[in-house]
Amino acid sequence: MPVNQLNAFQMAQTQFDGIAAKINIDPQVREVLRYPAREFRFQIPVRMDNGKIQVFFGFRVQHSDARGPAKGGIRFASNETLDTVRALAMWMTWKCAVADIPLGGGKGGVVVDPSTLSVGEKERLCRGWIDAVWHDIGPRVDVPAPDVGTTPQMMAWMMDEYSKLAGHYSPSAITGKPLGVGGSLGRTEATGYGVVDTIREAMKHLGMKPEKTIAAIQGFGNVAQYAAIAYIKELRGKVICVSCYDRNDQVSYTYSRKDGIDPIFLQSITDQYGTIDQAKAKDAGYTAEEAEAWIAKEADVLIPSALEGQINSDNVNRIHPRVKIVAEGANGPVTPEADEELKKRSIFDIPDFLCNSGGVITSYFEGVQNDMNYYWDHPSVLRRLDQKITKAFHDVLETSLERNMYMREAAYTVAIGRVVDAMEWRGWI
Ligand code: GLU
């Protein structure tokens, strides 16, 4: 099958197979890691506001718990499938391992467009998700968190439902909670800030001056918003565009402004589902261009921070010759074919599970704070995040330089090596 027709799980397996062969992972171990350890697929009947029951389908996949409890977000998306969740669960295993946090990989999902639900319906769906799987998750088993389409409020309902069923307050059963119900300072901006921490290190390595650089960002969800803010605040660079899906027009737009975008202003005109108010943006001097205009911008750094498969064989040739770094804020944004092209062009790629690991690193900190029932201040969280992700970046860079490997391959080498090591110590292989 041509690689561009692979679904997300086949893509995750292809990446894994390629690197496993290259670094000589025992074929029996490969067979274990190619598939998730456990999968749950369940129905969630929800009483809707009109009094009728609607059945939703939910998933939770635990790919590996060799290094610790499975960990990973829950997506609410209308095109969610068991295969997308499997892929994302596998990527979480590598993400936690590369970040060197004592957690495994998991992911969950519900087939739903959350913008079609009322607040009450959302709450009942979240509680229903927990009712269906609470026996198989928990602080020492598998810890969910937010992802595309889910929010801290939803995590609070889920934590509450889990606590009620468990019979005791269990904040560390779910991370990404709001402050005040066991959330951590810094969790909201963690993924975007972490993305920029890795870009800063890549620029040091490549000898680039951050304040002279331009970034083009795809997306304007949680990751993209804080990556834009940190790029301007921490690196003093310019962000030339972001993009977003417009729910009213049902298409995506790239919003750009010649002198650079102002992410705080754009946040103030973005609704809770990530749609930027087009009229207000135009009034403020922004141009709304076609969806993929972001990829062709004359920029030094591309930060795809939306969904998987966004840089692919159809558009990879549109990348401007000036681009030196692709920093993968999203999970799986580059298809294997496009990846070959990036390699050929010697673009420095910061692979997703390294680049966007700031979210789960801070989720880990959240769980640690919950368990000791003592909470760190904001600068302490961001400092620890920076230390952890910078160390992860250099572990990967070192491997890449020592073994003459592309960054993605080096990241897999580090991550798979750590997982296999845990499996060996535990006597599983
Ligand atoms: N959903 C985020 C991710 O893909 C965070 C996961 C977590 O915090 O457990 O990394």
Side-chain angles (χ1 to χ4, degrees):
M1 202 188 296
V3 272
N4 59 357
Q5 283 170 25
L6 300 181
N7 71 32
F9 182 49
Q10 291 164 328
M11 183 169 131
Q13 285 187 319
T14 304
Q15 286 174 345
F16 171 71
D17 290 342
I19 192 70
K22 198 161 180 170
I23 62 175
N24 286 324
I25 300 283
D26 181 291
Q28 289 174 62
V29 178
R30 267 189 239 175
E31 214 39 36
V32 176
L33 288 171
R34 288 189 91 235
Y35 298 98
R38 278 175 294 279
E39 304 182 342
F40 305 94
R41 179 187 168 283
F42 41 89
Q43 55 164 238
I44 312 169
V46 174
R47 178 142 340 252
M48 305 302 276
D49 291 351
N50 64 9
K52 299 220 167 76
I53 295 287
Q54 188 173 329
V55 176
F56 294 90
F57 288 96
F59 310 103
R60 186 71 186 171
V61 174
Q62 295 159 0
H63 173 259
S64 166
D65 54 9
R67 286 174 46 86
K71 184 83 192 82
I74 305 171
R75 302 205 306 184
F76 279 15
S78 46
N79 57 356
E80 198 66 281
T81 64
L82 186 52
D83 273 334
T84 51
V85 182
R86 284 171 169 154
L88 290 155
M90 188 193 270
W91 286 327
M92 285 309 300
T93 301
W94 315 137
K95 191 180 301 194
C96 294
V98 89
D100 206 9
I101 52 178
L103 296 166
K107 205 78 172 195
V110 176
V111 186
V112 62
D113 173 357
S115 69
T116 60
L117 303 177
S118 71
V119 174
E121 289 166 346
K122 261 187 240 170
E123 176 173 351
R124 292 191 290 279
L125 181 55
C126 288
R127 291 187 186 276
W129 193 93
I130 292 290
D131 295 344
V133 286
W134 80 279
H135 272 295
D136 299 295
I137 61 169
R140 298 288 170 263
V141 181
D142 175 10
V143 182
D147 202 291
V148 174
T150 50
T151 61
Q153 168 65 82
M154 294 179 181
M155 297 305 114
W157 290 324
M158 288 185 172
M159 182 279 286
D160 181 70
E161 190 70 9
Y162 182 90
S163 295
K164 280 180 179 149
L165 291 165
H168 47 86
Y169 183 55
S170 309
S172 58
I174 309 275
T175 63
K177 302 177 296 293
L179 294 172
V181 278
S184 174
L185 287 161
R187 177 64 185 84
T188 310
E189 62 272 40
T191 312
Y193 271 54
V195 166
V196 171
D197 291 336
T198 64
I199 295 173
R200 180 195 63 216
E201 296 307 307
M203 286 181 172
K204 270 190 213 158
H205 167 65
L206 298 170
M208 294 162 70
K209 291 202 168 65
E211 65 284 4
K212 297 229 160 69
T213 62
I214 296 176
I217 299 184
Q218 184 199 25
F220 200 57
N222 171 270
V223 182
Q225 290 178 16
Y226 289 99
I229 291 172
Y231 201 91
I232 296 165
K233 199 169 136 217
E234 307 291 325
L235 299 185
R236 312 227 164 269
K238 183 155 109 181
V239 177
I240 193 144
C241 66
V242 294
S243 75
C244 84
Y245 179 72
D246 190 304
R247 281 192 304 127
N248 310 314
D249 295 359
Q250 302 206 343
V251 285
S252 295
Y253 295 108
T254 293
Y255 284 94
S256 48
R257 204 169 60 160
K258 214 168 127 268
D259 300 328
I261 61 118
D262 173 357
I264 311 259
F265 166 74
L266 288 177
Q267 265 181 332
S268 75
I269 60 163
T270 300
D271 71 17
Q272 56 168 320
Y273 303 108
T275 297
I276 294 174
D277 185 320
Q278 209 179 125
K280 287 189 183 147
K282 283 185 175 163
D283 280 350
Y286 290 83
T287 321
E289 298 172 88
E290 49 104 11
E292 283 192 353
W294 66 276
I295 204 171
K297 293 282 172 199
E298 184 174 353
D300 303 278
V301 187
L302 292 184
I303 314 180
S305 305
L307 294 170
E308 59 270 17
Q310 298 299 299
I311 302 185
N312 49 52
S313 51
D314 295 335
N315 63 14
V316 67
N317 290 322
R318 294 185 65 189
I319 294 180
H320 196 278
R322 175 165 170 170
V323 172
K324 291 191 192 59
I325 297 174
V326 170
E328 302 181 7
N331 290 317
V334 179
T335 64
E337 277 183 342
D339 211 23
E340 287 307 314
E341 193 56 33
L342 299 186
K343 266 188 219 169
K344 260 193 234 151
R345 288 178 54 174
S346 303
I347 291 178
F348 189 90
D349 181 79
I350 312 174
D352 51 0
F353 63 87
L354 168 63
C355 189
N356 70 32
S357 62
V360 76
I361 290 173
T362 312
S363 272
Y364 163 60
F365 293 155
E366 182 176 330
V368 167
Q369 294 170 85
N370 291 152
D371 287 344
M372 64 181 174
N373 203 16
Y374 177 78
Y375 290 83
W376 302 326
D377 61 18
H378 199 186
S380 309
V381 177
L382 292 182
R383 180 174 36 82
R384 285 174 213 261
L385 162 64
D386 193 346
Q387 275 171 357
K388 200 91 186 136
I389 203 164
T390 300
K391 166 85 170 57
F393 179 90
H394 286 284
D395 287 347
V396 173
L397 181 65
E398 219 171 90
T399 302
S400 141
L401 297 174
E402 268 171 15
R403 302 180 65 167
N404 193 22
M405 279 176 163
Y406 185 56
M407 281 293 275
R408 190 185 316 282
E409 288 167 0
Y412 269 110
T413 303
V414 172
I416 296 172
R418 286 177 183 160
V419 175
V420 170
D421 190 46
M423 290 165 77
E424 276 171 0
W425 280 112
R426 293 181 72 166
W428 293 0
I429 51 174

